[in-house]
Amino acid sequence: MKLTILVDNQAAPGLLAEHGLAVWIEADGQRILFDTGAGQALVPNAGELGIDLASADHIVLSHGHHDHTGGLAAALGLAPRARVWLHSDVFRPRWGSLPDRPAHANGLPDASRAALSAATVTYVSGPLRITDHLGLTGPVPRLTDFEDTGGRFFVDPDAQLPDPITDDQALWLTTDRGLVVVLGCAHAGLVNTLRWALEVSGAERLRAVVGGCHLLAADAERLAATRRALDAWSPDLLIACHCSGEVAAGWGQPGGAGCVVELAT
């Protein structure tokens, strides 16, 4: 099993960094592009890293924000036969808001929407397996009392109607040594997501976590509760990147575009 971070907010020398995430996964005989970044870094970084995007069997979208779907048109242009896995709410209009600026559209870009109209799409409404050892969580039950979507997200341009980001999902892979979970942003909450991934996969142990944890704006209470849960699971590997924030990123190993993880299955 091999995971290569293609797009992240940080990047190794010679690679482009952008606010976004994309991970290339080679496992169980499949090549999977998990998210596509914001759109500028995916193709050049893949080229620099020797990743042939045209060989993708699957493209998985963790949710519909532009920083995860912006490179989709380019990816499908190279791999038109790749099956795309997504929740139907990927298509809903979305806005983000910050205290010092008006709401801004942050949903699926028009080019990505158009590319999907000609793609082979499987809609994910619940947990499913892509192969015997690899699957998707589908929408994640939100059971903790300390986790939320991690920011000011809305479904209207006036920023009045909160966006629950119901399309948020993660990818999991089973190995003899435990479960590997790849996250987009974990808007459903990192702890909620990992608990659900363990339940739907049937795995007993959490081995590795890679991706965005959306703890950038988390308060001390949420960070402490999240850290306690991670300590209890005690994964061998944590690479918290993209939207995770410095505190969470410091809990594990450094990531960034160009980071490669190889794990025995």
Short mmCIF file of all heavy atoms in Angstrom, two decimals, residues 42-114:
data_model
loop_
_atom_site.label_atom_id
_atom_site.label_comp_id
_atom_site.label_asym_id
_atom_site.label_seq_id
_atom_site.Cartn_x
_atom_site.Cartn_y
_atom_site.Cartn_z
N LEU A 42 -2.28 20.14 -8.73
CA LEU A 42 -2.43 18.69 -8.93
C LEU A 42 -1.60 18.16 -10.09
O LEU A 42 -0.78 17.25 -9.91
CB LEU A 42 -3.90 18.35 -9.15
CG LEU A 42 -4.19 16.87 -9.44
CD1 LEU A 42 -3.86 16.01 -8.24
CD2 LEU A 42 -5.64 16.67 -9.87
N VAL A 43 -1.81 18.67 -11.27
CA VAL A 43 -1.15 18.11 -12.45
C VAL A 43 0.37 18.32 -12.42
O VAL A 43 1.13 17.36 -12.62
CB VAL A 43 -1.76 18.68 -13.74
CG1 VAL A 43 -0.98 18.23 -14.96
CG2 VAL A 43 -3.23 18.23 -13.87
N PRO A 44 0.87 19.54 -12.15
CA PRO A 44 2.33 19.68 -12.10
C PRO A 44 2.99 18.86 -11.00
O PRO A 44 4.06 18.29 -11.20
CB PRO A 44 2.55 21.18 -11.90
CG PRO A 44 1.24 21.74 -11.50
CD PRO A 44 0.19 20.85 -12.05
N ASN A 45 2.36 18.78 -9.83
CA ASN A 45 2.96 17.99 -8.76
C ASN A 45 2.96 16.50 -9.09
O ASN A 45 3.94 15.79 -8.81
CB ASN A 45 2.20 18.22 -7.45
CG ASN A 45 2.54 19.54 -6.79
OD1 ASN A 45 3.35 20.30 -7.30
ND2 ASN A 45 1.91 19.82 -5.66
N ALA A 46 1.88 16.02 -9.68
CA ALA A 46 1.85 14.62 -10.08
C ALA A 46 2.97 14.32 -11.07
O ALA A 46 3.64 13.28 -10.98
CB ALA A 46 0.50 14.27 -10.69
N GLY A 47 3.18 15.23 -12.01
CA GLY A 47 4.26 15.04 -12.98
C GLY A 47 5.61 15.00 -12.32
O GLY A 47 6.45 14.14 -12.65
N GLU A 48 5.86 15.92 -11.39
CA GLU A 48 7.15 15.95 -10.69
C GLU A 48 7.38 14.68 -9.87
O GLU A 48 8.51 14.23 -9.70
CB GLU A 48 7.21 17.17 -9.78
CG GLU A 48 7.41 18.49 -10.49
CD GLU A 48 8.79 18.60 -11.12
OE1 GLU A 48 9.75 18.03 -10.56
OE2 GLU A 48 8.91 19.25 -12.17
N LEU A 49 6.30 14.10 -9.36
CA LEU A 49 6.41 12.93 -8.50
C LEU A 49 6.31 11.61 -9.26
O LEU A 49 6.34 10.54 -8.65
CB LEU A 49 5.33 12.98 -7.42
CG LEU A 49 5.50 14.12 -6.40
CD1 LEU A 49 4.22 14.28 -5.57
CD2 LEU A 49 6.69 13.85 -5.49
N GLY A 50 6.17 11.68 -10.57
CA GLY A 50 6.10 10.46 -11.37
C GLY A 50 4.79 9.73 -11.25
O GLY A 50 4.73 8.51 -11.49
N ILE A 51 3.72 10.43 -10.89
CA ILE A 51 2.39 9.83 -10.77
C ILE A 51 1.63 10.04 -12.07
O ILE A 51 1.46 11.18 -12.52
CB ILE A 51 1.59 10.46 -9.61
CG1 ILE A 51 2.33 10.26 -8.28
CG2 ILE A 51 0.19 9.89 -9.54
CD1 ILE A 51 2.47 8.84 -7.83
N ASP A 52 1.16 8.97 -12.67
CA ASP A 52 0.41 9.04 -13.92
C ASP A 52 -1.08 9.14 -13.60
O ASP A 52 -1.75 8.12 -13.37
CB ASP A 52 0.70 7.80 -14.78
CG ASP A 52 -0.03 7.82 -16.10
OD1 ASP A 52 -0.57 8.89 -16.47
OD2 ASP A 52 -0.07 6.77 -16.76
N LEU A 53 -1.60 10.35 -13.58
CA LEU A 53 -3.02 10.53 -13.25
C LEU A 53 -3.93 9.83 -14.24
O LEU A 53 -5.05 9.44 -13.89
CB LEU A 53 -3.35 12.03 -13.21
CG LEU A 53 -2.70 12.84 -12.09
CD1 LEU A 53 -3.01 14.31 -12.25
CD2 LEU A 53 -3.15 12.35 -10.72
N ALA A 54 -3.47 9.63 -15.47
CA ALA A 54 -4.29 8.94 -16.48
C ALA A 54 -4.57 7.50 -16.10
O ALA A 54 -5.49 6.88 -16.64
CB ALA A 54 -3.60 9.01 -17.84
N SER A 55 -3.78 6.95 -15.18
CA SER A 55 -3.97 5.55 -14.78
C SER A 55 -4.98 5.38 -13.65
O SER A 55 -5.20 4.26 -13.18
CB SER A 55 -2.62 4.94 -14.36
OG SER A 55 -2.16 5.51 -13.15
N ALA A 56 -5.58 6.46 -13.20
CA ALA A 56 -6.52 6.38 -12.07
C ALA A 56 -7.72 5.49 -12.41
O ALA A 56 -8.36 5.67 -13.44
CB ALA A 56 -7.00 7.77 -11.70
N ASP A 57 -8.00 4.55 -11.53
CA ASP A 57 -9.20 3.73 -11.65
C ASP A 57 -10.40 4.41 -11.02
O ASP A 57 -11.54 4.24 -11.46
CB ASP A 57 -8.99 2.37 -10.96
CG ASP A 57 -7.83 1.59 -11.55
OD1 ASP A 57 -7.91 1.25 -12.75
OD2 ASP A 57 -6.85 1.34 -10.83
N HIS A 58 -10.14 5.19 -9.97
CA HIS A 58 -11.21 5.82 -9.22
C HIS A 58 -10.79 7.23 -8.80
O HIS A 58 -9.60 7.49 -8.56
CB HIS A 58 -11.53 5.03 -7.94
CG HIS A 58 -11.80 3.58 -8.17
ND1 HIS A 58 -13.02 3.09 -8.57
CD2 HIS A 58 -10.98 2.50 -8.06
CE1 HIS A 58 -12.95 1.78 -8.69
NE2 HIS A 58 -11.72 1.40 -8.39
N ILE A 59 -11.78 8.11 -8.69
CA ILE A 59 -11.59 9.42 -8.09
C ILE A 59 -12.65 9.56 -6.99
O ILE A 59 -13.84 9.39 -7.26
CB ILE A 59 -11.74 10.56 -9.11
CG1 ILE A 59 -10.67 10.44 -10.21
CG2 ILE A 59 -11.63 11.92 -8.42
CD1 ILE A 59 -10.84 11.43 -11.35
N VAL A 60 -12.21 9.81 -5.78
CA VAL A 60 -13.11 9.96 -4.65
C VAL A 60 -13.11 11.42 -4.20
O VAL A 60 -12.04 12.02 -4.02
CB VAL A 60 -12.68 9.06 -3.47
CG1 VAL A 60 -13.56 9.33 -2.24
CG2 VAL A 60 -12.74 7.59 -3.86
N LEU A 61 -14.30 11.99 -4.03
CA LEU A 61 -14.43 13.34 -3.50
C LEU A 61 -14.92 13.25 -2.06
O LEU A 61 -15.99 12.70 -1.80
CB LEU A 61 -15.40 14.17 -4.35
CG LEU A 61 -15.01 14.38 -5.81
CD1 LEU A 61 -16.04 15.25 -6.51
CD2 LEU A 61 -13.61 14.99 -5.93
N SER A 62 -14.14 13.80 -1.15
CA SER A 62 -14.52 13.73 0.26
C SER A 62 -15.70 14.64 0.57
O SER A 62 -16.50 14.34 1.46
CB SER A 62 -13.33 14.11 1.14
OG SER A 62 -12.97 15.47 0.96
N HIS A 63 -15.82 15.75 -0.15
CA HIS A 63 -16.94 16.68 -0.01
C HIS A 63 -16.80 17.73 -1.10
O HIS A 63 -15.84 17.71 -1.88
CB HIS A 63 -16.97 17.32 1.38
CG HIS A 63 -15.79 18.17 1.72
ND1 HIS A 63 -14.51 17.68 1.80
CD2 HIS A 63 -15.69 19.50 2.01
CE1 HIS A 63 -13.68 18.65 2.13
NE2 HIS A 63 -14.37 19.77 2.25
N GLY A 64 -17.76 18.65 -1.17
CA GLY A 64 -17.85 19.53 -2.33
C GLY A 64 -17.16 20.86 -2.26
O GLY A 64 -17.40 21.71 -3.12
N HIS A 65 -16.29 21.12 -1.31
CA HIS A 65 -15.61 22.40 -1.25
C HIS A 65 -14.58 22.52 -2.37
O HIS A 65 -13.97 21.53 -2.79
CB HIS A 65 -14.93 22.59 0.11
CG HIS A 65 -15.89 22.99 1.20
ND1 HIS A 65 -15.66 22.74 2.53
CD2 HIS A 65 -17.09 23.64 1.14
CE1 HIS A 65 -16.66 23.22 3.25
NE2 HIS A 65 -17.55 23.76 2.43
N HIS A 66 -14.37 23.77 -2.82
CA HIS A 66 -13.53 24.00 -4.00
C HIS A 66 -12.09 23.57 -3.81
O HIS A 66 -11.41 23.21 -4.78
CB HIS A 66 -13.57 25.49 -4.38
CG HIS A 66 -12.85 26.37 -3.40
ND1 HIS A 66 -11.56 26.77 -3.58
CD2 HIS A 66 -13.25 26.90 -2.21
CE1 HIS A 66 -11.17 27.52 -2.55
NE2 HIS A 66 -12.18 27.61 -1.72
N ASP A 67 -11.59 23.60 -2.56
CA ASP A 67 -10.20 23.24 -2.34
C ASP A 67 -9.96 21.73 -2.38
O ASP A 67 -8.82 21.27 -2.24
CB ASP A 67 -9.68 23.82 -1.02
CG ASP A 67 -10.56 23.53 0.17
OD1 ASP A 67 -11.77 23.36 -0.02
OD2 ASP A 67 -10.04 23.48 1.30
N HIS A 68 -11.03 20.97 -2.62
CA HIS A 68 -10.93 19.52 -2.79
C HIS A 68 -11.44 19.06 -4.16
O HIS A 68 -11.22 17.91 -4.54
CB HIS A 68 -11.72 18.80 -1.68
CG HIS A 68 -11.16 19.05 -0.32
ND1 HIS A 68 -10.39 18.14 0.36
CD2 HIS A 68 -11.23 20.14 0.49
CE1 HIS A 68 -10.02 18.65 1.52
NE2 HIS A 68 -10.53 19.86 1.63
N THR A 69 -12.09 19.95 -4.87
CA THR A 69 -12.70 19.60 -6.16
C THR A 69 -12.20 20.46 -7.30
O THR A 69 -12.60 20.25 -8.45
CB THR A 69 -14.23 19.74 -6.07
OG1 THR A 69 -14.58 21.10 -5.76
CG2 THR A 69 -14.81 18.84 -4.99
N GLY A 70 -11.32 21.42 -7.05
CA GLY A 70 -10.89 22.35 -8.09
C GLY A 70 -10.09 21.72 -9.20
O GLY A 70 -10.06 22.23 -10.33
N GLY A 71 -9.41 20.60 -8.92
CA GLY A 71 -8.61 19.94 -9.95
C GLY A 71 -9.34 18.81 -10.66
O GLY A 71 -8.73 18.06 -11.44
N LEU A 72 -10.65 18.69 -10.41
CA LEU A 72 -11.38 17.54 -10.94
C LEU A 72 -11.46 17.54 -12.45
O LEU A 72 -11.31 16.49 -13.10
CB LEU A 72 -12.79 17.52 -10.34
CG LEU A 72 -13.67 16.35 -10.76
CD1 LEU A 72 -13.03 15.01 -10.38
CD2 LEU A 72 -15.06 16.47 -10.13
N ALA A 73 -11.69 18.69 -13.06
CA ALA A 73 -11.78 18.74 -14.53
C ALA A 73 -10.48 18.28 -15.17
O ALA A 73 -10.48 17.51 -16.14
CB ALA A 73 -12.15 20.14 -14.99
N ALA A 74 -9.36 18.72 -14.62
CA ALA A 74 -8.06 18.30 -15.15
C ALA A 74 -7.85 16.81 -14.96
O ALA A 74 -7.36 16.11 -15.86
CB ALA A 74 -6.94 19.08 -14.48
N ALA A 75 -8.23 16.30 -13.79
CA ALA A 75 -8.05 14.87 -13.51
C ALA A 75 -8.89 14.02 -14.45
O ALA A 75 -8.41 13.02 -15.01
CB ALA A 75 -8.42 14.58 -12.06
N LEU A 76 -10.15 14.41 -14.66
CA LEU A 76 -11.01 13.64 -15.56
C LEU A 76 -10.60 13.81 -17.01
O LEU A 76 -10.82 12.91 -17.83
CB LEU A 76 -12.47 14.06 -15.36
CG LEU A 76 -13.15 13.49 -14.12
CD1 LEU A 76 -14.50 14.15 -13.90
CD2 LEU A 76 -13.30 11.97 -14.24
N GLY A 77 -10.00 14.93 -17.34
CA GLY A 77 -9.47 15.11 -18.69
C GLY A 77 -8.37 14.12 -18.99
O GLY A 77 -8.24 13.64 -20.13
N LEU A 78 -7.59 13.77 -17.97
CA LEU A 78 -6.51 12.79 -18.13
C LEU A 78 -7.01 11.36 -17.95
O LEU A 78 -6.46 10.44 -18.56
CB LEU A 78 -5.41 13.08 -17.12
CG LEU A 78 -4.63 14.38 -17.32
CD1 LEU A 78 -3.76 14.68 -16.12
CD2 LEU A 78 -3.78 14.31 -18.58
N ALA A 79 -8.00 11.17 -17.09
CA ALA A 79 -8.51 9.82 -16.77
C ALA A 79 -10.03 9.79 -16.95
O ALA A 79 -10.77 9.64 -15.96
CB ALA A 79 -8.12 9.43 -15.36
N PRO A 80 -10.51 9.91 -18.18
CA PRO A 80 -11.97 10.01 -18.39
C PRO A 80 -12.73 8.75 -18.01
O PRO A 80 -13.95 8.81 -17.80
CB PRO A 80 -12.08 10.29 -19.89
CG PRO A 80 -10.81 9.74 -20.49
CD PRO A 80 -9.76 9.98 -19.45
N ARG A 81 -12.05 7.61 -17.92
CA ARG A 81 -12.74 6.36 -17.59
C ARG A 81 -12.75 6.09 -16.08
O ARG A 81 -13.35 5.10 -15.64
CB ARG A 81 -12.08 5.18 -18.31
CG ARG A 81 -12.22 5.24 -19.83
CD ARG A 81 -11.57 4.03 -20.49
NE ARG A 81 -11.73 4.06 -21.94
CZ ARG A 81 -10.94 4.74 -22.76
NH1 ARG A 81 -9.93 5.44 -22.27
NH2 ARG A 81 -11.15 4.72 -24.07
N ALA A 82 -12.13 6.94 -15.31
CA ALA A 82 -12.12 6.74 -13.86
C ALA A 82 -13.54 6.89 -13.31
O ALA A 82 -14.29 7.78 -13.71
CB ALA A 82 -11.19 7.76 -13.20
N ARG A 83 -13.89 6.01 -12.40
CA ARG A 83 -15.19 6.12 -11.73
C ARG A 83 -15.09 7.12 -10.59
O ARG A 83 -14.16 7.07 -9.79
CB ARG A 83 -15.63 4.76 -11.19
CG ARG A 83 -16.98 4.78 -10.47
CD ARG A 83 -17.41 3.39 -10.04
NE ARG A 83 -17.68 2.55 -11.20
CZ ARG A 83 -18.84 2.49 -11.84
NH1 ARG A 83 -19.85 3.26 -11.44
NH2 ARG A 83 -19.00 1.69 -12.87
N VAL A 84 -16.04 8.04 -10.54
CA VAL A 84 -16.05 9.07 -9.51
C VAL A 84 -17.05 8.69 -8.42
O VAL A 84 -18.20 8.35 -8.71
CB VAL A 84 -16.41 10.45 -10.10
CG1 VAL A 84 -16.32 11.52 -9.00
CG2 VAL A 84 -15.48 10.80 -11.26
N TRP A 85 -16.60 8.76 -7.18
CA TRP A 85 -17.42 8.42 -6.03
C TRP A 85 -17.67 9.69 -5.23
O TRP A 85 -16.73 10.36 -4.80
CB TRP A 85 -16.71 7.39 -5.15
CG TRP A 85 -16.32 6.14 -5.88
CD1 TRP A 85 -15.25 5.99 -6.73
CD2 TRP A 85 -16.98 4.87 -5.84
NE1 TRP A 85 -15.20 4.70 -7.22
CE2 TRP A 85 -16.26 3.99 -6.68
CE3 TRP A 85 -18.09 4.39 -5.16
CZ2 TRP A 85 -16.62 2.67 -6.87
CZ3 TRP A 85 -18.45 3.06 -5.34
CH2 TRP A 85 -17.72 2.22 -6.19
N LEU A 86 -18.95 10.02 -5.02
CA LEU A 86 -19.29 11.25 -4.31
C LEU A 86 -20.69 11.17 -3.72
O LEU A 86 -21.50 10.35 -4.14
CB LEU A 86 -19.17 12.47 -5.23
CG LEU A 86 -19.94 12.45 -6.56
CD1 LEU A 86 -21.41 12.83 -6.37
CD2 LEU A 86 -19.31 13.39 -7.56
N HIS A 87 -20.94 12.03 -2.77
CA HIS A 87 -22.29 12.19 -2.22
C HIS A 87 -23.02 13.24 -3.05
O HIS A 87 -22.41 14.18 -3.56
CB HIS A 87 -22.19 12.65 -0.75
CG HIS A 87 -23.49 12.66 -0.02
ND1 HIS A 87 -24.39 13.71 -0.14
CD2 HIS A 87 -24.06 11.78 0.85
CE1 HIS A 87 -25.45 13.47 0.63
NE2 HIS A 87 -25.27 12.30 1.22
N SER A 88 -24.32 13.12 -3.18
CA SER A 88 -25.08 14.03 -4.05
C SER A 88 -25.00 15.48 -3.59
O SER A 88 -25.14 16.41 -4.40
CB SER A 88 -26.55 13.59 -4.12
OG SER A 88 -27.14 13.56 -2.84
N ASP A 89 -24.74 15.72 -2.29
CA ASP A 89 -24.66 17.10 -1.81
C ASP A 89 -23.39 17.81 -2.25
O ASP A 89 -23.24 19.01 -1.98
CB ASP A 89 -24.78 17.12 -0.29
CG ASP A 89 -26.21 16.99 0.19
OD1 ASP A 89 -27.12 16.97 -0.67
OD2 ASP A 89 -26.43 16.87 1.41
N VAL A 90 -22.49 17.10 -2.92
CA VAL A 90 -21.33 17.76 -3.51
C VAL A 90 -21.77 18.91 -4.43
O VAL A 90 -21.08 19.93 -4.55
CB VAL A 90 -20.49 16.73 -4.31
CG1 VAL A 90 -19.61 17.41 -5.34
CG2 VAL A 90 -19.62 15.93 -3.34
N PHE A 91 -22.94 18.78 -5.04
CA PHE A 91 -23.39 19.76 -6.03
C PHE A 91 -24.08 20.97 -5.42
O PHE A 91 -24.38 21.92 -6.15
CB PHE A 91 -24.36 19.09 -7.01
CG PHE A 91 -23.73 18.02 -7.84
CD1 PHE A 91 -23.86 16.68 -7.50
CD2 PHE A 91 -22.98 18.34 -8.96
CE1 PHE A 91 -23.28 15.69 -8.27
CE2 PHE A 91 -22.39 17.36 -9.74
CZ PHE A 91 -22.54 16.03 -9.40
N ARG A 92 -24.34 20.99 -4.13
CA ARG A 92 -25.13 22.10 -3.57
C ARG A 92 -24.30 23.37 -3.52
O ARG A 92 -23.08 23.34 -3.30
CB ARG A 92 -25.65 21.74 -2.18
CG ARG A 92 -24.63 21.74 -1.08
CD ARG A 92 -25.20 21.22 0.23
NE ARG A 92 -26.44 21.91 0.59
CZ ARG A 92 -27.21 21.56 1.60
NH1 ARG A 92 -26.89 20.53 2.36
NH2 ARG A 92 -28.29 22.25 1.88
N PRO A 93 -24.94 24.55 -3.73
CA PRO A 93 -24.22 25.82 -3.61
C PRO A 93 -23.71 26.02 -2.19
O PRO A 93 -24.36 25.63 -1.22
CB PRO A 93 -25.28 26.86 -3.97
CG PRO A 93 -26.32 26.11 -4.72
CD PRO A 93 -26.33 24.72 -4.15
N ARG A 94 -22.53 26.64 -2.08
CA ARG A 94 -21.90 26.80 -0.77
C ARG A 94 -21.18 28.13 -0.67
O ARG A 94 -20.63 28.62 -1.66
CB ARG A 94 -20.90 25.66 -0.52
CG ARG A 94 -21.54 24.29 -0.45
CD ARG A 94 -20.53 23.27 -0.01
NE ARG A 94 -21.15 22.34 0.90
CZ ARG A 94 -21.19 21.02 0.70
NH1 ARG A 94 -20.64 20.50 -0.36
NH2 ARG A 94 -21.78 20.24 1.57
N TRP A 95 -21.15 28.65 0.54
CA TRP A 95 -20.42 29.87 0.82
C TRP A 95 -19.67 29.73 2.12
O TRP A 95 -20.10 29.02 3.04
CB TRP A 95 -21.37 31.06 0.92
CG TRP A 95 -21.85 31.56 -0.40
CD1 TRP A 95 -21.32 32.58 -1.15
CD2 TRP A 95 -22.94 31.06 -1.16
NE1 TRP A 95 -22.02 32.74 -2.32
CE2 TRP A 95 -23.03 31.82 -2.35
CE3 TRP A 95 -23.87 30.03 -0.96
CZ2 TRP A 95 -23.98 31.58 -3.32
CZ3 TRP A 95 -24.83 29.79 -1.92
CH2 TRP A 95 -24.89 30.56 -3.09
N GLY A 96 -18.54 30.43 2.20
CA GLY A 96 -17.80 30.52 3.43
C GLY A 96 -17.76 31.97 3.88
O GLY A 96 -17.90 32.89 3.06
N SER A 97 -17.60 32.19 5.16
CA SER A 97 -17.61 33.55 5.68
C SER A 97 -16.56 33.70 6.77
O SER A 97 -16.36 32.80 7.59
CB SER A 97 -19.00 33.90 6.24
OG SER A 97 -19.00 35.18 6.83
N LEU A 98 -15.89 34.84 6.77
CA LEU A 98 -14.95 35.21 7.81
C LEU A 98 -15.40 36.51 8.45
O LEU A 98 -16.09 37.32 7.80
CB LEU A 98 -13.54 35.35 7.23
CG LEU A 98 -12.93 34.08 6.63
CD1 LEU A 98 -11.62 34.41 5.92
CD2 LEU A 98 -12.69 33.03 7.71
N PRO A 99 -15.03 36.76 9.69
CA PRO A 99 -15.51 37.99 10.36
C PRO A 99 -15.17 39.28 9.62
O PRO A 99 -15.92 40.25 9.69
CB PRO A 99 -14.82 37.92 11.72
CG PRO A 99 -14.55 36.48 11.95
CD PRO A 99 -14.25 35.91 10.59
N ASP A 100 -14.06 39.32 8.91
CA ASP A 100 -13.60 40.56 8.30
C ASP A 100 -13.83 40.62 6.79
O ASP A 100 -13.26 41.47 6.11
CB ASP A 100 -12.12 40.77 8.59
CG ASP A 100 -11.25 39.62 8.09
OD1 ASP A 100 -11.82 38.57 7.73
OD2 ASP A 100 -10.02 39.77 8.04
N ARG A 101 -14.66 39.72 6.26
CA ARG A 101 -14.91 39.76 4.81
C ARG A 101 -16.29 39.20 4.52
O ARG A 101 -16.84 38.41 5.29
CB ARG A 101 -13.85 38.96 4.04
CG ARG A 101 -13.78 37.50 4.42
CD ARG A 101 -12.72 36.76 3.64
NE ARG A 101 -13.08 36.60 2.23
CZ ARG A 101 -12.43 35.81 1.40
NH1 ARG A 101 -11.37 35.13 1.81
NH2 ARG A 101 -12.81 35.70 0.14
N PRO A 102 -16.89 39.61 3.39
CA PRO A 102 -18.22 39.09 3.05
C PRO A 102 -18.14 37.62 2.65
O PRO A 102 -17.06 37.08 2.39
CB PRO A 102 -18.64 39.97 1.87
CG PRO A 102 -17.36 40.45 1.27
CD PRO A 102 -16.42 40.62 2.43
N ALA A 103 -19.32 36.99 2.59
CA ALA A 103 -19.37 35.59 2.21
C ALA A 103 -18.82 35.41 0.80
O ALA A 103 -19.02 36.25 -0.09
CB ALA A 103 -20.80 35.09 2.29
N HIS A 104 -18.13 34.30 0.58
CA HIS A 104 -17.55 34.00 -0.72
C HIS A 104 -17.94 32.58 -1.12
O HIS A 104 -18.02 31.68 -0.28
CB HIS A 104 -16.03 34.12 -0.68
CG HIS A 104 -15.38 33.27 0.36
ND1 HIS A 104 -15.36 33.60 1.72
CD2 HIS A 104 -14.74 32.06 0.28
CE1 HIS A 104 -14.74 32.67 2.40
NE2 HIS A 104 -14.36 31.71 1.56
N ALA A 105 -18.22 32.37 -2.40
CA ALA A 105 -18.58 31.04 -2.89
C ALA A 105 -17.40 30.11 -2.72
O ALA A 105 -16.26 30.44 -3.09
CB ALA A 105 -18.99 31.11 -4.35
N ASN A 106 -17.64 28.94 -2.15
CA ASN A 106 -16.55 27.98 -1.96
C ASN A 106 -16.97 26.55 -2.29
O ASN A 106 -16.40 25.60 -1.78
CB ASN A 106 -16.00 28.07 -0.53
CG ASN A 106 -16.99 27.57 0.52
OD1 ASN A 106 -18.16 27.33 0.21
ND2 ASN A 106 -16.54 27.43 1.76
N GLY A 107 -17.96 26.44 -3.18
CA GLY A 107 -18.44 25.12 -3.56
C GLY A 107 -17.77 24.59 -4.82
O GLY A 107 -16.71 25.07 -5.24
N LEU A 108 -18.40 23.59 -5.41
CA LEU A 108 -17.88 22.92 -6.59
C LEU A 108 -17.71 23.92 -7.75
O LEU A 108 -18.67 24.57 -8.15
CB LEU A 108 -18.86 21.83 -7.00
CG LEU A 108 -18.50 20.91 -8.15
CD1 LEU A 108 -17.36 19.98 -7.75
CD2 LEU A 108 -19.72 20.09 -8.58
N PRO A 109 -16.51 24.07 -8.30
CA PRO A 109 -16.31 25.01 -9.40
C PRO A 109 -17.10 24.59 -10.65
O PRO A 109 -17.39 23.41 -10.86
CB PRO A 109 -14.80 24.94 -9.66
CG PRO A 109 -14.22 24.40 -8.39
CD PRO A 109 -15.24 23.47 -7.85
N ASP A 110 -17.42 25.56 -11.49
CA ASP A 110 -18.21 25.28 -12.70
C ASP A 110 -17.53 24.26 -13.60
O ASP A 110 -18.19 23.38 -14.16
CB ASP A 110 -18.46 26.58 -13.48
CG ASP A 110 -19.41 27.52 -12.77
OD1 ASP A 110 -20.14 27.06 -11.86
OD2 ASP A 110 -19.42 28.72 -13.10
N ALA A 111 -16.22 24.36 -13.76
CA ALA A 111 -15.51 23.42 -14.64
C ALA A 111 -15.59 22.00 -14.10
O ALA A 111 -15.73 21.04 -14.87
CB ALA A 111 -14.05 23.85 -14.79
N SER A 112 -15.52 21.85 -12.79
CA SER A 112 -15.64 20.52 -12.18
C SER A 112 -17.05 19.97 -12.34
O SER A 112 -17.25 18.79 -12.62
CB SER A 112 -15.26 20.59 -10.70
OG SER A 112 -13.93 21.04 -10.53
N ARG A 113 -18.03 20.84 -12.17
CA ARG A 113 -19.42 20.43 -12.34
C ARG A 113 -19.66 19.94 -13.77
O ARG A 113 -20.30 18.91 -13.99
CB ARG A 113 -20.34 21.61 -12.02
CG ARG A 113 -21.82 21.29 -11.95
CD ARG A 113 -22.61 22.54 -11.65
NE ARG A 113 -22.21 23.13 -10.39
CZ ARG A 113 -22.79 22.87 -9.23
NH1 ARG A 113 -23.82 22.02 -9.19
NH2 ARG A 113 -22.39 23.46 -8.13
N ALA A 114 -19.13 20.68 -14.73
CA ALA A 114 -19.30 20.29 -16.14
C ALA A 114 -18.60 18.96 -16.43
O ALA A 114 -19.13 18.11 -17.15
CB ALA A 114 -18.76 21.38 -17.04
#
